[in-house]
Amino acid sequence: MIVSLVGSDGAGKSTVSRLATERLATAGTPIERVDRWDIVDNPAYPATRFMKPDVPDTRLCVAEMPNPTRFLFLMWSISHALLARTPQAVRPGTVTLLDGYWMKHAAAEIVYGLDRTWAEGVVSALPVSGQVLYLRIDPERAWERKVGRDVVPYECGMDPECTRESFLTHQNRILAVLDDWAARFGWLTLDAEAPLDDVVGRVVTTVSGALAEER
């Protein structure tokens, strides 16, 4: 069972997915959290041993790639993280909670000028999520969360100064793409601006309910 937690930059995907995974595991749910960067310096992914164990630098290098190279690399890393684990690393019957999956990066690359029809065609070849939880956040609030911490040019339309204006402009464009997909594909939209414990609780409840229905 695949569950994807998606959202624009600053929505809290990594924090929420980590806390939800911990809470579900404590309750006895067989669950594994998967992130695209799990493939770096990880023996569960022997084919990516060529990648140096420096995720921050890798992210900067990826941002410097041209399109469609960057988009294809991101989709490769995501699909590899999901599909290429060694057999002993995969536990049967486990819920896979994907931190981000393809959605935000695909939306960002479309905003950066990638042909939308082509991009949607590429991601259609990836495994389908049984449930997509969309952490929706207003870019203004996302900026408040990120300013002074980890804002990077990739999140700001490649503005090297990472100004508030460039962040808001770029993130509003990404939000428009994600909103369209949420409506088209029936994603469950969650208010990412709600108290963290409430958001995590909603994710836990949704995953538990979906797992019960599948059984």
Side-chain angles (χ1 to χ4, degrees):
M1 181 181 191
I2 299 175
V3 178
S4 297
L5 195 64
V6 307
S8 54
D9 295 299
K13 298 182 294 297
S14 295
T15 299
V16 172
S17 63
R18 176 177 53 80
L19 293 175
T21 298
E22 291 174 358
R23 192 176 298 184
L24 285 161
T26 299
T29 301
I31 186 167
E32 181 178 13
R33 175 178 176 268
V34 174
D35 174 78
R36 63 183 55 80
W37 302 119
D38 289 346
I39 65 175
V40 179
D41 196 30
N42 187 340
Y45 300 95
T48 56
R49 62 188 181 277
F50 66 91
M51 299 180 72
K52 60 182 181 179
D54 187 343
V55 172
D57 188 53
T58 299
R59 293 177 65 183
L60 290 175
C61 291
V62 172
E64 294 171 5
M65 293 178 182
N67 256 329
T69 304
R70 182 173 61 227
F71 173 74
L72 291 173
F73 177 85
L74 289 166
M75 296 306 104
W76 168 79
S77 65
I78 291 166
S79 61
H80 196 78
L82 177 60
L83 300 173
R85 286 167 287 173
T86 57
Q88 59 268 31
V90 180
R91 293 178 298 161
T94 299
V95 176
T96 299
L97 180 60
L98 293 174
D99 181 359
Y101 204 18
W102 57 264
M103 289 77 166
K104 194 275 292 189
H105 278 301
E109 298 308 329
I110 289 169
V111 170
Y112 278 125
L114 203 63
D115 180 80
R116 180 164 178 164
T117 301
W118 182 80
E120 291 181 350
V122 171
V123 300
S124 70
L126 298 176
V128 176
S129 294
Q131 183 80 56
V132 178
L133 309 181
Y134 174 30
L135 297 181
R136 192 182 191 283
I137 188 169
D138 182 88
E140 287 274 9
R141 176 60 179 142
W143 172 259
E144 292 173 5
R145 289 183 176 184
K146 294 181 71 68
V147 66
R149 295 173 53 204
D150 58 351
V151 184
V152 296
Y154 182 73
E155 301 169 340
C156 303
M158 298 304 184
D159 171 21
E161 301 299 322
C162 295
T163 65
R164 173 181 174 276
E165 290 71 22
S166 62
F167 179 86
L168 296 181
T169 298
H170 186 65
Q171 294 300 320
N172 272 304
R173 291 171 178 167
I174 291 175
L175 197 67
V177 178
L178 292 175
D179 284 349
D180 177 65
W181 283 339
R184 284 171 54 195
F185 302 135
W187 297 351
L188 176 62
T189 300
L190 306 180
D191 181 8
E193 299 178 44
L196 178 59
D197 191 62
D198 292 350
V199 177
V200 174
R202 185 73 185 279
V203 172
V204 169
T205 300
T206 301
V207 172
S208 298
L211 186 59
E213 288 181 7
E214 188 173 85
R215 289 172 176 170

